[in-house]
Amino acid sequence: MTTTNSKDKVRSLVLAALMVFSVVGGSIAFAGAAAAANAPGDNGGVTDNTESVNALSGEETEVADLDFSGDSGEMNNITVNVAGGANSANVNVDDVTDVRVVAYNDSDVLAEASASYATHGTVVDFNGTDADSETNGTVDRVEVYAQLASSATVDGNEDLDASVELQADDGTSSGAIDTLGVQSITTDSSFISGEVEDSNGEPIENAQVEIVNNDNGATVATLTTDANGQFDPSRVRVAPGQNYTVNVDRFGYTTYSQTQFVGSQETVNFPVTLEFNLQPDNVDVQRFDNGEVAGTSSTLLGNNESDNTATYAVVVENTNVENAGTPIDSSEFSIDVDLEFNKTDANVGDFWDNDAINTSTTVTTTERGDIDGDGYSESYVTFNVTADNASADTLANPLTEVGINASNAENNLQDNDATVQYVLEGEEKITGEVVDIDGEGVSDATVWAVYEGSGNQSVAFTENTFVNDDGNAFLVDETNDDGRYAIPGLAGNDTNVTVYVTATNYNRENLTDTSVGQFVAASEFEQTAGPKSETENHDIVVAPVDVTLDYRLNLSAEGEDGNYSDSIAMGISSERDVRVGLDVKAQNEPDSAFTPIENSDLVDSEDVNFSTNNTVIGNVVDDPLTVTESNETTVFQSTRSTGVANLTAEVTNGEDMVFNDTVQIEVYGVGEITGDVVNDKNPADNLPGAKVDLLRVENNGSETLLDTDYTGPQGSYSFTEVRTGETYRLVGTFENETGFNEIYKGSAGTTNADIVIVGVTPDAATFDVSDLSPSNKTVTQGDQIDVSATVTNIGDEQGTQTVELRVDGNTLASQDVQLVGDENVTVTFDDVDTSGLAAGDHTHGVYTEDDDQTGTLTVESSDDDNSNSSIVAEYDANNNGEIDLMELSAAANAYSSGQISLMELSQVAGAYSS
């Protein structure tokens, strides 16, 4: 909203009408701006490369290809008339739905714009784009495309022969160019359709369909079937008079191939039936726990009890169904699977909790479900393995592993990976003390024993494997305050074991490359002395170590949605947060000892350095970054260059070992999309206040809302910082009606995309008046009052009106007010002087061209009538008790020269008016 306030003091009712003096005005000259470049081809320099083609209805065809390389210039707009050429025939406006224009400079796209084709001679606007500026080079080539309506050729054969005219800001023009080529619209084509179903008549979705022209070997189309099994698209246009082969393939089904001749103006349907033909290709035996598979091995205590069981699942599937893109979500197979224990192992295994010893069995995969959590359903059956045949009498070793073999000969399936481990709990034990080099006991040290030949010697395996009926691990202990430990449950006679110790700040022996998997403070050989014996005083001496730190970094960057990840995209000349997570541990500790740096006793802070393989596109602000707590942040600033960079954060420890992590940052170009929202009239009306949504069209056809704008007084909208290399849909809404424009944003700069909304008309600017203050008021002659009112534009369009303060129908003051649709402003007239108003009631109010609001102003006589009479008498030259026009003019001149006051002039004017 803008207002121009006269701010003149209101003199009197008649003074405002009479004091209009001549103004000797000086002429005002404006220096012109530098002349804009001429329009392309304004000197006749154009090469017409437009080709004559047969154009299929419903498709886009090129109607102009003009080369202005010898006569380039700026293009503000281009007028397109697809029926404007000399060879045009039978072309109606509704034969074309849209026109699209691409402007080039030296083969680079300067700008692209489109418009609905509402009339022959549709104007495509390039105002404000790079085509309308010399900054990025002038326009030296233009291509024009017309989207043909599906209904084209209904009235007969139509021939498009376009004429185009390019115009620049300075008014220069290429003139109407009659293009050489003619585009003949035709529907003389044939079609192939089809549907795919299974042997039960059910539609098959996502079948892959290939249509091949047998006569020339060319692939006409590749497509998939929809949810109804129909070809998508439902009809494929092909050249008539040819032989075509349709090949259909869908994973898990038989293939299809059939050839038919397609005649002129013919639609040939291919009904396709596929037989289900999915076969299993894998059998797998896994431990089954709480409805899910959990590895391939179980551990049972060798206690000779049939109800001591572990549950396994035989899983049968076709592994290809779990590949991305495979359109089958389950493997459903009911087959028999033979199970047996590996005969080369100790003969101690038993299937099923029953009274018999079953070393082999057969199961059938009758169950269905996603038991491995991968999102696909498998066929499976569960079975039990027991300890009924496992005891100290049958187990040769305290830890005996037995393999489980699964097979199906019909489908050549085999799996030998599953095992069951039988363990014994004996009555032997080892005791001792863990001491440092000074002989002091080391408390809270972990001590565990591992049998000779064990494939896994880690403390975690020992704790989870050697567990008795009470659920207690019996080959692991922790030292007490005096450093004492006791390892019970050892079995065997003269059994060889290794005793391992871990203790904080003592773990100097590196066993990370062994099955122990970590640093330990000590590892010592021991041999048990026999049943029920106790090896006394096996003391273990450990020595402290200097601490070398290991680090674990987690580098992430802020994405467009505010979430952090290891791969983001950002616009040029922008900033994003980069977050560093840092954990620390002693090098000789297991990974489980990693602790966030803020909770670590080893270090308070650490410098993190950054590097990138592409500094051209940007870098971090803080390098190095001092990290005192996890998720410390810095900022990555991008330049105006686009590209991809790997940003690496790294920390070096005291032994020059480097620890790092990397994120990938893509910097993309940005530009602007602008346009007008208009109706379908000719000429079109701009639609102010229209809502415009910017949506990105995703690769799968879905749309993502990015931003919303509202058109200004001229119906224009603008979106800045729009990513290039994407397709966008602009949707305009006005009075509950919508229109759209879809564009590809291929380059930086400004792209114009006007939106046409059919069947709407903007309401003209209408200025409504309300809230007059004061409405009714009593004053004394000579009082000054302030008068205000609210003025609202209740229309859609922007408008400017003169808002007037009137008393008894006469204008005392005015202001010029400009308002956009639905905008309002309080208009105030300050210091209104009532000296010139006669005593009595007067109608006062605020008026616009469309509305007014009035009230009553009651004026009471003042006490200075004598002074009024004296000044009036002074200028009553005729001494007739009246003031005429000449006498009022004399008083006005006296006021102008400063001889009398404004109040005195108002009194003379009041006498004249009465």
Side-chain angles (χ1 to χ4, degrees):
M1 181 280 297
T2 60
T3 66
T4 303
N5 193 337
S6 67
K7 302 303 291 182
D8 295 334
K9 303 295 184 179
V10 181
R11 311 306 183 208
S12 69
L13 179 61
V14 179
L15 179 62
L18 292 177
M19 295 182 64
V20 181
F21 298 96
S22 298
V23 177
V24 178
S27 60
I28 303 174
F30 293 92
N38 293 342
D42 72 318
N43 294 317
V46 58
T47 301
D48 191 345
N49 299 316
T50 309
E51 296 182 352
S52 294
V53 297
N54 287 327
L56 289 174
S57 60
E59 298 186 2
E60 186 181 71
T61 186
E62 185 180 67
V63 297
D65 184 356
L66 304 175
D67 187 344
F68 300 99
S69 56
D71 192 9
S72 61
E74 295 180 8
M75 182 173 68
N76 177 267
N77 63 75
I78 179 172
T79 301
V80 180
N81 184 350
V82 298
N87 296 313
S88 173
N90 303 321
V91 178
N92 298 319
V93 170
D94 55 7
D95 287 333
V96 175
T97 61
D98 302 275
V99 288
R100 180 172 63 91
V101 182
V102 185
Y104 296 88
N105 173 265
D106 194 23
S107 75
D108 293 327
V109 175
L110 280 179
E112 179 177 333
S114 58
S116 296
Y117 195 77
T119 181
H120 289 321
T122 290
V123 177
V124 182
D125 189 9
F126 279 84
N127 182 40
T129 70
D130 288 346
D132 191 29
S133 168
E134 288 186 290
T135 302
N136 295 305
T138 53
V139 176
D140 59 16
R141 184 183 169 201
V142 170
E143 294 175 345
V144 182
Y145 298 87
Q147 175 64 48
L148 303 182
S150 300
S151 60
T153 74
V154 170
D155 301 326
N157 289 330
E158 286 98 343
D159 292 332
L160 276 64
D161 182 12
S163 68
V164 299
E165 181 177 1
L166 290 68
Q167 189 167 19
D169 283 325
D170 64 355
T172 58
S173 166
S174 66
I177 302 172
D178 185 349
T179 58
L180 294 179
V182 175
Q183 298 77 42
S184 299
I185 307 177
T186 180
T187 58
D188 187 15
S189 57
S190 299
F191 298 90
I192 288 176
S193 63
E195 58 279 332
V196 181
E197 59 185 28
D198 62 19
S199 56
N200 296 320
E202 295 296 324
I204 298 178
E205 185 179 3
N206 292 325
Q208 305 298 310
V209 180
E210 179 188 44
I211 302 175
V212 178
N213 186 324
N214 282 22
D215 295 345
N216 58 23
T219 298
V220 175
T222 56
L223 51 92
T224 59
T225 55
D226 61 18
N228 297 316
Q230 301 287 331
F231 288 10
D232 187 14
S234 59
R235 294 198 311 165
V236 178
R237 180 173 284 171
V238 297
Q242 308 283 328
N243 290 288
Y244 292 91
T245 296
V246 171
N247 300 312
V248 182
D249 181 54
R250 203 249 200 193
F251 174 76
Y253 290 82
T254 57
T255 59
Y256 169 94
S257 181
Q258 184 178 349
T259 301
Q260 293 192 56
F261 178 81
V262 180
S264 178
Q265 302 290 320
E266 182 181 13
T267 297
V268 175
N269 185 62
F270 284 75
V272 180
T273 300
L274 301 181
E275 299 288 339
F276 189 76
N277 192 36
L278 187 67
Q279 300 298 321
D281 66 0
N282 185 66
V283 63
D284 197 14
V285 177
Q286 298 190 54
R287 181 165 58 91
F288 192 72
D289 187 19
N290 294 322
E292 296 180 350
V293 293
T296 60
S297 181
S298 295
T299 300
L300 292 175
L301 186 67
N303 57 6
N304 221 174
E305 294 181 3
S306 178
D307 58 357
N308 181 13
T309 64
T311 303
Y312 289 77
V314 177
V315 182
V316 175
E317 61 188 336
N318 185 299
T319 55
N320 289 315
V321 305
E322 300 183 7
N323 295 335
T326 302
I328 296 179
D329 62 2
S330 66
S331 297
E332 297 188 1
F333 309 105
S334 294
I335 65 171
D336 292 338
V337 178
D338 297 324
L339 300 172
E340 65 176 355
F341 293 106
N342 192 335
K343 293 181 172 59
T344 61
D345 296 329
N347 189 23
V348 294
D350 174 53
F351 294 111
W352 310 118
D353 177 11
N354 55 27
D355 295 333
I357 302 298
N358 307 107
T359 58
S360 63
T361 188
T362 298
V363 294
T364 304
T365 56
T366 57
E367 303 294 325
R368 304 287 182 267
D370 180 19
I371 64 172
D372 58 4
D374 61 0
Y376 298 89
S377 178
E378 293 85 22
S379 299
Y380 71 97
V381 64
T382 60
F383 64 93
N384 291 331
V385 173
T386 83
D388 194 17
N389 195 29
S391 66
D393 296 331
T394 58
L395 296 174
N397 299 302
L399 173 63
T400 300
E401 186 172 81
V402 181
I404 302 173
N405 300 333
S407 62
N408 173 269
E410 179 182 359
N411 295 283
N412 195 27
L413 304 179
Q414 182 77 31
D415 178 61
N416 302 317
D417 294 335
T419 61
V420 56
Q421 299 178 93
Y422 293 103
V423 298
L424 291 175
E425 182 181 18
E427 298 180 358
E428 307 172 50
K429 65 179 177 179
I430 299 175
T431 63
E433 185 178 3
V434 178
V435 297
D436 62 19
I437 57 177
D438 296 323
E440 298 294 329
V442 177
S443 62
D444 298 323
T446 300
V447 185
W448 73 99
V450 177
Y451 290 111
E452 182 180 36
S454 175
N456 190 326
Q457 302 194 15
S458 68
V459 64
F461 174 80
T462 303
E463 287 179 320
N464 294 327
T465 302
F466 293 90
V467 180
N468 58 26
D469 288 337
D470 297 326
N472 299 320
F474 54 81
L475 294 187
V476 182
D477 194 20
E478 281 196 1
T479 59
N480 62 16
D481 292 341
D482 298 325
R484 297 291 301 176
Y485 73 92
I487 298 178
L490 289 162
N493 188 16
D494 296 331
T495 304
N496 294 328
V497 298
T498 300
V499 179
Y500 294 101
V501 179
T502 59
T504 302
N505 297 330
Y506 292 91
N507 298 324
R508 60 191 307 128
E509 185 178 353
N510 187 356
L511 298 181
T512 56
D513 292 336
T514 72
S515 64
V516 177
Q518 67 181 94
F519 281 79
V520 297
S523 59
E524 297 189 3
F525 172 81
E526 184 58 71
Q527 186 177 52
T528 60
K532 299 184 180 181
S533 65
E534 180 177 295
T535 302
E536 301 282 358
N537 300 322
H538 188 96
D539 295 340
I540 303 173
V541 179
V542 295
V545 295
D546 294 331
V547 177
T548 298
L549 300 182
D550 279 356
Y551 297 95
R552 183 169 62 191
L553 283 97
N554 180 18
L555 185 65
S556 58
E558 181 187 14
E560 293 179 344
D561 57 0
N563 295 320
Y564 287 79
S565 68
D566 58 6
S567 179
I568 69 162
M570 61 188 295
I572 59 174
S573 302
S574 61
E575 294 183 349
R576 292 286 178 82
D577 283 348
V578 174
R579 190 164 65 187
V580 180
L582 185 61
D583 299 333
V584 63
K585 73 173 183 67
Q587 190 178 73
N588 53 6
E589 296 293 332
D591 286 350
S592 59
F594 269 118
T595 303
I597 189 170
E598 64 268 27
N599 299 329
S600 174
D601 296 329
L602 302 175
V603 63
D604 295 326
S605 65
E606 194 62 69
D607 285 345
V608 176
N609 296 284
F610 294 92
S611 62
T612 177
N613 64 341
N614 188 356
T615 58
V616 174
I617 69 169
N619 221 322
V620 296
V621 173
D622 304 304
D623 186 13
L625 174 68
T626 300
V627 176
T628 59
E629 60 182 23
S630 289
N631 298 329
E632 199 90 49
T633 60
T634 182
V635 172
F636 184 90
Q637 292 180 334
S638 62
T639 66
R640 291 194 59 80
S641 298
T642 61
V644 178
N646 290 325
L647 178 67
T648 300
E650 63 181 38
V651 176
T652 304
N653 70 5
E655 295 182 354
D656 294 330
M657 295 177 61
V658 177
F659 305 85
N660 55 45
D661 195 21
T662 299
V663 296
Q664 185 179 81
I665 298 177
E666 176 190 1
V667 177
Y668 55 80
V670 295
E672 183 179 13
I673 298 177
T674 63
D676 294 334
V677 180
V678 298
N679 60 17
D680 57 334
K681 292 184 177 180
N682 186 20
D685 296 319
N686 290 341
L687 302 178
K691 177 185 176 184
V692 181
D693 290 329
L694 174 66
L695 302 104
R696 182 177 61 231
V697 181
E698 310 294 355
N699 292 332
N700 61 3
S702 65
E703 297 175 347
T704 302
L705 177 63
L706 302 179
D707 202 357
T708 298
D709 192 21
Y710 290 86
T711 57
Q714 305 305 318
S716 299
Y717 72 89
S718 175
F719 295 102
T720 60
E721 301 297 314
V722 179
R723 180 172 180 170
T724 59
E726 302 279 0
T727 298
Y728 297 96
R729 186 179 180 89
L730 290 308
V731 179
T733 303
F734 185 83
E735 294 182 351
N736 297 321
E737 299 294 333
T738 61
F740 73 91
N741 196 344
E742 189 169 299
I743 64 168
Y744 176 76
K745 180 68 173 168
S747 60
T750 302
T751 301
N752 184 266
D754 293 340
I755 302 172
V756 177
I757 301 179
V758 177
V760 296
T761 301
D763 293 333
T766 302
F767 281 30
D768 184 70
V769 182
S770 61
D771 302 327
L772 176 67
S773 177
S775 177
N776 300 311
K777 187 174 181 66
T778 300
V779 299
T780 302
Q781 280 180 327
D783 288 350
Q784 293 183 339
I785 63 173
D786 296 336
V787 179
S788 67
T790 299
V791 178
T792 304
N793 181 1
I794 60 174
D796 295 316
E797 297 182 325
Q798 176 179 288
T800 301
Q801 291 191 17
T802 299
V803 181
E804 297 179 341
L805 171 66
R806 300 179 190 174
V807 175
D808 295 334
N810 299 291
T811 301
L812 298 186
S814 65
Q815 296 184 28
D816 288 336
V817 176
Q818 184 182 76
L819 296 172
V820 301
D822 292 328
E823 187 181 14
N824 66 77
V825 64
T826 299
V827 178
T828 301
F829 299 95
D830 297 321
D831 301 331
V832 178
D833 195 335
T834 63
S835 299
L837 297 178
D841 291 339
H842 301 269
T843 299
H844 81 289
V846 174
Y847 293 74
T848 68
E849 297 174 12
D850 308 307
D851 192 24
D852 62 74
Q853 191 169 49
T854 62
T856 300
L857 180 65
T858 302
V859 179
E860 297 179 345
S861 297
S862 63
D863 296 332
D864 58 356
D865 289 342
N866 293 333
S867 62
N868 285 352
S869 299
S870 62
I871 192 64
V872 171
E874 181 179 343
Y875 285 92
D876 182 11
N878 298 328
N879 293 317
N880 61 357
E882 297 179 352
I883 297 295
D884 59 25
L885 183 59
M886 292 298 295
E887 292 165 339
L888 177 59
S889 180
N893 287 331
Y895 168 73
S896 297
S897 61
Q899 298 176 35
I900 64 174
S901 68
L902 175 61
M903 180 68 73
E904 291 170 325
L905 176 60
S906 298
Q907 292 168 357
V908 176
Y912 171 82
S913 67
S914 63

